[in-house]
Amino acid sequence: MTIPYDLVVRSRRTVTPEGERAVAVAVRGERIAALAGYTAPLTATEDIDLRDLALLPGLVDTHVHVNEPGRTHWEGFDSATRAAAAGGVTTIVDMPLNSLPPTVNVAALDAKQRAALGQCHVDVGFWGGAVPGNVKDLAPLHERGVYGFKCFLSPSGVEEFPPLGVSELREALEEIAGFGGVMVVHAEDPVLLGEPGGPTYREFLESRPGASERSAVEQVVRLARETGARVHILHVSSADCLDVLEAARAEGVAVTAETCPHYLTLTAEQVPEGATAYKCCPPIRSEANRDLLWEGLARGVLSCVVSDHSPSTADLKVPDFAAAWGGIASLQLGLPAIWTEAARRGHGLGDVVRWMSANPAALAKISGKGGMKVGNDADLVAFDPDADHLVDAALLHHKNPVTPYHGRTLKGAVLTTWLRGRPVDGAPHGRFLLGAQ
Ligand SMILES: [Zn+2]
């Protein structure tokens, strides 16, 4: 007698690695056990037919600042992971800074995992941090399962997470290359950054030119070439970086790069004066630049689209672009934001899943995630690609109701999210994910 499946979800628009297919996804326990034809006669405890609604693999967001412990009033594991699940994201990898302590040694990782325990509605992995003086902490953090290390070359915005100088970056890359890890870099060259001349968006934007990103990417590529370390450029905002990245990859340097929904969907021209919900570093640039980023994504120079969800309390978003906290909250909205713009530009759901699930999973080498494949975790998302919805920041699960998407109409709605075969709808059943040690 055949053993029945626990769950079957059928859709005429199941997004598989081969594209959209009419497929039934059969789940046993926590894993995808079989992919069969849409109408295949499968026996299951629960059998759900989504018809023409889409079925996606859960998204993997490798750039989330949860901020707990220490700045839990900005965002915490409970609220962040609820927001993730509601946005179709079933795996997040937490950034090492903005929490206190920052995740720059094993004791700090322990403190973060203690704080997160029992609160995670999706699966959670962790990045470590590379700061001046902690090179000896990198291997122990790697052994404890962080997916890699984040560093800055310019001030991070919080004093407890200082940037690396060039010689410190080289030393950290040599160390990381020794155990086969990855360094993820906030790439803005401090030499080319200025202080904003005043409170307007134009002055803020002029203080952080695209040349600063390009110069930093050139430095990181040079050091990656020299040390053999694998590197990844975080949140590329300036299209000035694209030819540097393309040339480095052609030459065989192990460099990948990501961008974020706000750089792909918002433009400097649209930022209302004083609307510092739009402030982030590097900044949202011109409409022409945005078009070039989409071309970079289409060519694969940019491989990942991740949120860089970096909220704060509303009081830090003062209406002065020089003084406000720099960070955009969008964890729950990344999928509809990107789908709205991607569809308009002729991309399909398969592209979106590649940018927001498969490629981020590959960047961090997260096993069992990132695609509709037999053996992978049954992280599934029922998605209505044609639904329109008006964003109301107050109705999001984000802890603070501040987001530049407030009042926008986005296309696409997440209907149900399953984490390892179970709907995310009650008690948290997320786990900590560990990288290969
Ligand atoms: Zn970030």
Side-chain angles (χ1 to χ4, degrees):
M1 193 184 93
T2 51
I3 306 166
Y5 298 105
D6 297 309
L7 170 69
V8 167
V9 187
R10 303 169 190 271
S11 163
R12 294 194 188 97
R13 298 187 66 180
T14 298
V15 179
T16 73
E18 291 75 42
E20 284 183 35
R21 297 284 185 274
V23 159
V25 178
V27 177
R28 192 172 287 135
E30 300 193 328
R31 303 261 172 93
I32 297 173
L35 299 176
Y38 172 64
T39 56
L42 304 166
T43 312
T45 310
E46 191 177 11
D47 195 322
I48 298 170
D49 188 351
L50 298 177
R51 299 169 181 273
D52 293 322
L53 301 174
L55 180 62
L56 320 180
L59 304 186
V60 175
D61 190 337
T62 49
H63 196 149
V64 179
H65 296 265
V66 176
N67 305 333
E68 182 171 9
R71 290 192 178 93
T72 310
H73 50 304
W74 291 13
E75 192 68 281
F77 282 97
D78 176 61
S79 49
T81 58
R82 276 179 201 275
V89 176
T90 49
T91 300
I92 64 169
V93 186
D94 171 66
M95 279 292 171
L97 72 154
N98 302 351
S99 53
L100 294 169
T103 320
V104 295
N105 54 46
V106 165
L109 178 64
D110 284 339
K112 183 166 278 190
Q113 292 183 338
R114 271 198 307 275
L117 196 64
Q119 293 203 70
C120 299
H121 296 268
V122 301
D123 286 349
V124 178
F126 301 91
W127 297 108
V131 294
N134 87 328
V135 73
K136 289 288 166 265
D137 291 300
L138 303 183
L141 278 166
H142 174 75
E143 280 156 24
R144 282 286 308 278
V146 301
Y147 282 107
F149 301 90
K150 178 180 194 179
C151 72
F152 281 72
L153 308 183
S154 54
S156 71
V158 291
E159 64 184 20
E160 70 276 3
F161 200 95
L164 297 180
V166 174
S167 62
E168 292 163 327
L169 176 58
R170 177 192 297 277
E171 192 187 1
L173 290 176
E174 283 168 351
E175 179 76 5
I176 289 169
F179 54 75
V182 62
M183 180 76 98
V184 303
V185 185
H186 180 121
E188 287 182 290
D189 182 345
V191 173
L192 297 173
L193 296 177
E195 285 299 319
T200 66
Y201 192 72
R202 185 181 53 78
E203 288 162 302
F204 168 64
L205 184 55
E206 284 171 356
S207 76
R208 305 188 89 97
S212 167
E213 284 188 66
R214 181 184 170 96
S215 169
V217 171
E218 285 170 342
Q219 286 181 41
V220 173
V221 163
R222 178 170 55 80
L223 290 173
R225 184 192 294 122
E226 288 173 19
T227 61
R230 185 162 72 94
V231 296
H232 175 77
I233 308 297
L234 299 165
H235 48 51
V236 170
S237 128
S238 171
D240 290 355
C241 302
L242 298 178
D243 63 332
V244 181
L245 290 165
E246 202 154 28
R249 288 176 64 82
E251 189 198 321
V253 177
V255 58
T256 53
E258 70 188 31
T259 188
C260 308
H262 37 278
Y263 303 126
L264 293 166
T265 63
L266 308 176
T267 67
E269 292 88 341
Q270 300 168 342
V271 178
E273 218 38 81
T276 53
Y278 289 77
K279 180 179 175 180
C280 59
C281 298
I284 294 164
R285 303 185 190 279
S286 69
E287 187 174 349
N289 178 80
R290 177 182 65 165
D291 290 343
L292 293 172
L293 292 180
W294 276 101
E295 286 176 21
L297 199 56
R299 289 207 305 279
V301 189
L302 302 171
S303 56
C304 305
V305 178
V306 292
S307 68
D308 192 9
H309 179 70
S310 185
S312 70
T313 47
D315 60 306
L316 298 181
K317 286 292 200 181
V318 292
D320 172 341
F321 277 98
W325 168 255
I328 285 182
S330 68
L331 181 53
Q332 193 173 332
L333 299 171
L335 174 58
I338 286 297
W339 174 235
T340 303
E341 192 67 22
R344 193 171 79 76
R345 290 168 185 266
H347 293 287
L349 283 172
D351 295 321
V352 172
V353 163
R354 195 169 69 253
W355 302 326
M356 302 185 81
S357 182
N359 290 348
L363 155 68
K365 298 189 177 172
I366 303 173
S367 59
K369 306 288 190 185
M372 204 71 83
K373 292 180 194 166
V374 171
N376 270 3
D377 288 350
D379 297 344
L380 307 174
V381 177
F383 182 68
D384 181 350
D386 301 315
D388 282 335
H389 74 280
L390 181 69
V391 177
D392 179 348
L395 299 181
L396 300 175
H397 293 285
H398 303 173
K399 187 166 276 186
N400 291 285
V402 179
T403 177
Y405 298 100
H406 178 70
R408 283 173 189 270
T409 298
L410 299 179
K411 189 174 154 75
V414 171
L415 305 175
T416 307
T417 300
W418 290 266
L419 177 67
R420 285 182 274 99
R422 287 165 57 193
V424 179
D425 59 1
H429 66 282
R431 284 193 189 134
F432 297 154
L433 301 174
L434 302 177
Q437 289 91 59

